[in-house]
Amino acid sequence: PPSDAVIAAWLRLERAADAGGTRRLPHQTSTEFTSVVLAEHGTDRDALDLLRRLYQRARFGPPHAVTVGDAEAARSAIAGIARSLPVADA
């Protein structure tokens, strides 16, 4: 399902950030986490924000709220983020 693809892209972000020295803490919301990633890695703000919004919709939205287009957007976002984080290795 498209929501699984979005969540997979988010998990790639978390693994890549962790590999880069930024671990998501258990108490952090996705918004707090992306703020730290942006501050510490200077990654693509727009891509990071898009991935965060898509993740929140996939994780907390109603069933079938995520489309195939959203899944593609998440894949594009993680590719944009790859410029500052080693997502290919994550």
Side-chain angles (χ1 to χ4, degrees):
S3 60
D4 288 354
V6 170
I7 291 170
W10 177 264
L11 292 174
R12 285 185 73 197
L13 169 66
E14 286 192 8
R15 287 190 306 267
D18 187 40
T22 305
R23 174 169 288 178
R24 183 177 180 189
L25 303 175
H27 68 274
Q28 283 180 316
T29 66
S30 53
T31 300
E32 291 168 336
F33 176 66
T34 55
S35 293
V36 172
V37 169
L38 182 63
E40 293 184 2
H41 299 282
T43 190
D44 182 328
R45 176 187 303 268
D46 293 334
L48 195 58
D49 184 56
L50 175 62
L51 183 57
R52 177 191 53 79
R53 287 184 284 115
L54 291 170
Y55 168 73
Q56 288 173 337
R57 189 172 345 139
R59 180 76 171 83
F60 305 110
H64 310 294
V66 177
T67 67
V68 171
D70 292 332
E72 288 300 319
R75 288 184 192 103
S76 293
I78 199 70
I81 294 165
R83 292 183 211 115
S84 60
L85 287 171
V87 295
D89 300 328

